[in-house]
Amino acid sequence: MLEAKDLSFCYAGADQWALKDVCLKVEQGQCLVLGGSSGCGKSTLVKALCGLIPHFERGIRAGRVFFKGADLADLCMHQIAENIGAVFQNPRSQFFTTSVCDEIAFGCENLGLGRREIIKRLERSLERFGLDPLKEKSIFQLSNGERQKVIMAAIHAMGPDLWVMDEPSSNLDPRAVAQLTDIIKGLKQEGKTLIIAEHRCHYLKDCADRVVLMEKGRIVSDQSAKSFFSQSNEELGRQGLRWAHIPTTNFKAAKPASQVKANQLKARELAFRYGRHKPELLKGLNLQARGGEILGVTGANGAGKTTLAMVLTGLLKERGGKVRLNGELCKAAQRARRCRMVLQESDHQLFAQSAEGELALALGKGGAADGRIKELLAQCGLDHLAARRPQCLSGGEKQRLVIAAALATEPEVLALDEPTSGLDAGSLRQVGDLLKGFAARGGVVLVVTHDYEFILSCCTSVIRLDMGRATTRLPVGEMPAEMHSFLVGEAVPEGFS
């Protein structure tokens, strides 16, 4: 159905090949998983397999990609869109309208379908992806996970034979990931062909037929899914890959770090809503965190996790309740000076022309900060990329740079929103080490995350938000199987409340 022959690609202005001599053949109805470390070429290959290379991305291209015998380079984009659907990691990059229903219908309208057929497909996709309660909402009112589901529903409505996905689970909560698994199984039953680039592949264990691993723009392994998933998490870790299995036995989790002086953050009866007539997202929420701990904040998409982090760090002003930092009543403007937040999309927090320039901008101390900049770059493993443009870094490198810029100001509280989205195993460990080091120095760390592997390996405890309240706090590591149920929202382990 799809075949890449001797495919190579170098981005305009780059000095090395992003893809080199890639040969890949995918049969009708197969589910193929692309794996490998950040920067290995997965996303570039995804762009080539859905026609964005060469139609949109500028650069040097060699080789060809055939879909049902036709070279994608010879097809118009509307012909490709009829047959190939692409789901990218950042849903914002794919929106064309401002409402859920309009977005799902947009692709069908561009295919020239009749009104009745569009309505039929719209309703079917809304039901398939559980979006009916959100159909009247604006795109801007949705969480990142909800936006991802809208994009997938829009692709589903167009009915392509081939689905190409880049990190489709990166913004989804555990329950939504389980739903994604069911959706992929359903697409396979319909005879659809799927190519999925992923770091977190445990949810694909019962869906995948093949796993292809890449390194430095080349395919280095092509094996059956049965062979790949027969390997233990430890074996995969030695290859630089993320977990493929949910642990069911006790796991050695992170412990609170010892420090000389620990900061303390307390929130009492916290309330917030976006606008006077909007529903409350936070309702009488109580929370306490102290330095040395890394507190994970989880919950369903749209539960208010990101809103909570923004309120606690002063980026949003609470509508009710009180926040105390080290025992002092602290207003939003004061918290904004004493706290830092790392947003989910790192590109929105990168402004300078180089990695070292980004840290200099954060420090704002001119030449006197040179030593501190070198120290921070070394801590986040970016000292060899000091002069590199931030936009040219891999996803993991960008994330570490943004965290380093936040740490440069030595905040008392550091909040992060999905900091491991799109990260490989090595980058995940490096981000974890940065946070553990900050916590050990007495900093308060709040991590909004759905990443089960990161929670078990880095967090010391976790709370789950439900209906605007922090319902339960649970220590990490004692009971990983129960913890997974807790994160999904199915159960609260006995003895915790």
Side-chain angles (χ1 to χ4, degrees):
M1 182 183 195
L2 184 75
E3 184 175 10
K5 289 187 175 181
D6 300 317
L7 182 65
S8 298
F9 185 76
C10 179
Y11 287 99
D15 56 2
Q16 57 186 356
W17 293 96
L19 297 176
K20 188 64 175 175
D21 301 326
V22 171
C23 293
L24 180 68
K25 190 172 184 179
V26 186
E27 301 295 341
Q28 175 75 39
Q30 274 194 337
C31 178
L32 183 146
V33 178
L34 286 174
S37 60
S38 296
C40 71
K42 299 188 303 298
S43 295
T44 302
L45 182 56
V46 163
K47 292 177 183 178
L49 297 180
C50 69
L52 290 181
I53 294 175
H55 288 285
F56 283 93
E57 289 286 359
R58 295 174 55 197
I60 302 171
R61 175 180 176 268
R64 306 170 79 182
V65 178
F66 295 94
F67 176 76
K68 295 183 177 180
D71 190 338
L72 290 184
D74 297 332
L75 298 177
C76 297
M77 282 307 297
H78 72 84
Q79 295 173 302
I80 296 174
E82 290 176 6
N83 295 282
I84 302 175
V87 179
F88 297 107
Q89 184 175 343
N90 180 6
R92 292 189 183 189
S93 66
Q94 291 186 263
F95 286 133
F96 291 91
T97 70
T98 59
S99 73
V100 171
C101 280
D102 287 348
E103 187 63 39
I104 297 174
F106 182 81
C108 297
E109 292 169 350
N110 280 271
L111 293 178
L113 301 178
R115 178 179 173 82
R116 287 187 178 180
E117 180 64 19
I118 291 176
I119 293 174
K120 178 182 175 182
R121 294 191 183 197
L122 170 63
E123 293 176 345
R124 184 174 60 196
S125 293
L126 285 169
E127 180 182 1
R128 184 72 173 273
F129 288 83
L131 292 170
D132 201 61
L134 305 177
K135 64 182 180 181
E136 302 299 332
K137 280 198 170 187
S138 164
I139 294 297
F140 304 107
Q141 295 176 306
L142 304 181
S143 70
N144 281 310
E146 291 166 340
R147 289 171 181 160
Q148 186 76 295
K149 287 195 277 188
V150 170
I151 290 298
M152 295 189 70
I155 299 298
H156 178 265
M158 295 175 69
D161 291 328
L162 172 64
W163 284 61
V164 182
M165 308 183 192
D166 191 5
E167 303 279 354
S169 73
S170 61
N171 295 312
L172 303 183
D173 61 52
R175 190 183 294 274
V177 170
Q179 293 171 348
L180 175 61
T181 303
D182 292 337
I183 289 167
I184 291 172
K185 288 179 179 178
L187 292 172
K188 281 194 67 178
Q189 290 174 356
E190 295 174 15
K192 305 296 185 182
T193 305
L194 300 108
I195 300 173
I196 306 171
E198 266 288 15
H199 288 302
R200 297 189 292 176
C201 56
H202 60 83
Y203 72 95
L204 296 169
K205 183 160 50 176
D206 297 326
C207 306
D209 299 302
R210 291 165 61 192
V211 178
V212 171
L213 301 180
M214 298 185 66
E215 184 178 326
K216 296 180 179 179
R218 299 176 184 270
I219 291 177
V220 295
S221 172
D222 188 343
Q223 56 190 301
S224 69
K226 182 178 180 180
S227 173
F228 176 81
F229 286 105
S230 67
Q231 300 176 82
S232 67
N233 288 337
E234 290 73 19
E235 290 174 313
L236 294 172
R238 286 192 288 271
Q239 302 173 57
L241 302 174
R242 299 281 301 268
W243 288 353
H245 312 282
I246 298 298
T248 56
T249 58
N250 285 352
F251 184 84
K252 187 177 180 181
K255 295 182 179 181
S258 58
Q259 9 60 40
V260 177
K261 181 180 178 181
N263 293 303
Q264 291 191 348
L265 175 70
K266 290 184 180 181
R268 183 74 176 168
E269 296 295 325
L270 203 61
F272 181 82
R273 66 176 64 182
Y274 288 98
R276 181 179 300 176
H277 302 295
K278 301 293 183 180
E280 281 191 319
L281 276 178
L282 304 178
K283 307 173 185 177
L285 186 145
N286 298 313
L287 179 144
Q288 182 171 339
R290 65 186 301 274
E293 297 178 331
I294 299 178
L295 177 62
V297 181
T298 188
N301 291 128
K305 303 182 299 297
T306 300
T307 300
L308 171 61
M310 295 180 76
V311 170
L312 290 175
T313 55
L315 297 182
L316 293 174
K317 184 179 179 181
E318 62 274 15
R319 299 275 178 145
K322 296 178 180 180
V323 179
R324 294 183 182 274
L325 188 53
N326 294 329
E328 301 175 8
L329 187 62
C330 203
K331 295 183 179 180
Q334 295 171 310
R335 299 198 301 275
R337 290 192 294 269
R338 299 168 65 178
C339 307
R340 289 293 179 270
M341 181 168 177
V342 175
L343 303 176
Q344 184 171 345
E345 296 169 9
S346 54
D347 284 322
H348 292 177
Q349 292 183 273
L350 296 171
F351 308 102
Q353 298 299 309
S354 67
E356 59 187 356
E358 198 68 47
L359 299 183
L361 187 63
L363 288 165
K365 297 178 181 177
D370 289 350
R372 179 63 173 151
I373 291 172
K374 292 179 181 178
E375 178 187 348
L376 286 166
L377 287 171
Q379 285 179 0
C380 63
L382 297 175
D383 44 336
H384 64 296
L385 298 172
R388 182 75 62 88
R389 285 176 60 86
Q391 290 75 17
C392 296
L393 300 175
S394 71
E397 291 163 348
K398 288 179 182 177
Q399 192 68 278
R400 280 179 276 144
L401 179 59
V402 171
I403 293 174
L407 295 178
T409 60
E410 299 182 357
E412 296 166 63
V413 177
L414 177 63
L416 306 98
D417 190 7
E418 297 288 355
T420 62
S421 178
L423 299 193
D424 60 22
S427 295
L428 180 142
R429 286 192 293 270
Q430 289 172 323
V431 167
D433 289 342
L434 285 172
L435 299 187
K436 289 175 184 177
F438 175 71
R441 297 191 296 273
V444 175
V445 182
L446 301 172
V447 185
V448 174
T449 183
H450 297 133
D451 193 328
Y452 181 62
E453 180 178 352
F454 185 70
I455 287 174
L456 283 188
S457 59
C458 186
C459 294
T460 56
S461 59
V462 62
I463 61 170
R464 187 177 72 218
L465 260 61
D466 187 20
M467 303 296 291
R469 300 178 185 272
T471 58
T472 312
R473 181 167 181 150
L474 189 68
V476 173
E478 300 299 325
M479 43 185 73
E482 291 86 346
M483 173 63 73
H484 185 255
S485 297
F486 169 72
L487 295 178
V488 174
E490 294 177 346
V492 176
E494 186 177 352
F496 296 96
S497 59

